[in-house]
Amino acid sequence: MNIKDVRTSEVWGYIGEVFIEELKYIIGEDDLKEFWVKNNGMNSRASSKDVTNVTTYGYATANDLKEAIFIHMSRNSIYHHLPEVFFHPIAISHPNMSNKEVVAAIRKNRRTEQENIHFFIPFDTEFFKKKVGLVNRYLNIFTDPNAKQNLFTLARDIVAKDLALNKEQLYKLFLNLCFSEKLKENLPALAQLLTNIMACTITVKYLPKEFSETPFKNLGEGILGHNAGLQGKVSSEFDDIVATIISNQQMKYQIIQQYMKTLKKILEFFVFANRDIHVRYQTSGIDEFILNKSYLGYNTAISISN
């Protein structure tokens, strides 16, 4: 374990929670199974740097020699937050004490302080580890299991639709919803997005919209577009959207219906509300109807006799 590499790297200026993760990367996470945090208290000289020193301590166990790392930080320990009267006398000197006795009392007070700081090291370390876990949720939001679960929960609440998507699919949809303005009405990009989310080929295109029934109200006894003024179907200025699911293998009807329902709900995020969305299913495989060793329509025919 080379602590010199740590002292000369840029991670020396990081806050403690980030520093410990970088330390694991530099020296190897397996070598950092045991570390302790020693909070030496806040002071003006070290206020600009969170981690002031890193030292190692070797100790022997019944079967092996082990090495622990001490991370010295310029933070207040639990000891510093407790009333001083718990550990030290109200006054360390008296009027009748000599200078030598005053110096000895001050040194004793300092030793007591260091002993108390050392006593609270296990407790400070546990608090520090909890803070590291919280910081990791933000630094590793896409990889940390707890943070990722929170992200999925957040994504599900924001999407607020009953979609038959697994966590990874919902995650992809949520990230792309953050850039929905760029994907709005961008059919090639939407087709690629839907293909990635649904894990099957999907095409998206415009479909001219025509009204088979006139949308206009009666004008007396005449109806515009029916028996007055216009003939034939009425075309809308807004086209519809048609999305086609293309599969190269046969799928169950229930699964197809689920895919079509989910696809329509996803498209509602990215197209104008006045467009109707049509979803179709198309198979690119070959459907074969086998009668024993014969093929219907190839070497076998159906005859109807009366």
Side-chain angles (χ1 to χ4, degrees), residues 1 25 31 60-61 90 92 106 110 147 156 180 186 231 243 255:
M1 184 183 302
Y25 176 76
D31 296 332
T61 61
I90 297 177
I92 61 174
I106 293 174
R110 286 291 300 169
R156 186 174 60 249
S180 59
N186 187 347
Q231 292 183 352
I255 297 178

Side-chain angles (χ1 to χ4, degrees), residues 149-163 170-171 173-174 177 269:
Q149 180 59 42
N150 293 339
L151 178 63
F152 288 141
T153 303
L154 177 65
R156 186 174 60 249
D157 292 340
I158 291 178
V159 172
K161 284 193 176 185
D162 183 18
L163 300 175
L170 184 63
Y171 163 71
L173 174 61
F174 172 71
L177 283 176
F269 287 112

Side-chain angles (χ1 to χ4, degrees), residues 246-263:
I246 302 175
S247 176
N248 56 3
Q249 59 183 0
Q250 293 299 314
M251 301 171 62
K252 294 182 178 180
Y253 177 76
Q254 292 82 357
I255 297 178
I256 295 174
Q257 289 294 103
Q258 188 180 69
Y259 270 49
M260 296 174 69
K261 182 180 179 181
T262 301
L263 182 58

Side-chain angles (χ1 to χ4, degrees), residues 273-293:
N274 57 354
R275 298 188 191 275
D276 289 335
I277 300 174
H278 306 275
V279 181
R280 299 172 180 172
Y281 172 77
Q282 175 183 329
T283 177
S284 58
I286 300 175
D287 295 335
E288 298 178 339
F289 188 88
I290 303 176
L291 299 175
N292 196 7
K293 295 183 179 180

Side-chain angles (χ1 to χ4, degrees), residues 32-84:
L32 198 61
K33 292 181 179 179
E34 185 175 1
F35 72 92
W36 304 96
V37 173
K38 185 177 181 181
N39 293 327
N40 295 306
M42 296 289 294
N43 60 76
S44 57
R45 294 179 59 185
S47 60
S48 61
K49 186 174 290 187
D50 199 23
V51 179
T52 58
N53 195 14
V54 176
T55 59
T56 59
Y57 173 75
Y59 62 96
T61 61
N63 302 320
D64 196 6
L65 291 175
K66 293 188 176 181
E67 192 175 45
I69 293 180
F70 278 85
I71 301 175
H72 301 259
M73 305 181 66
S74 58
R75 298 184 183 183
N76 285 334
S77 169
I78 297 176
Y79 158 78
H80 296 95
H81 290 286
L82 295 175
E84 188 176 357

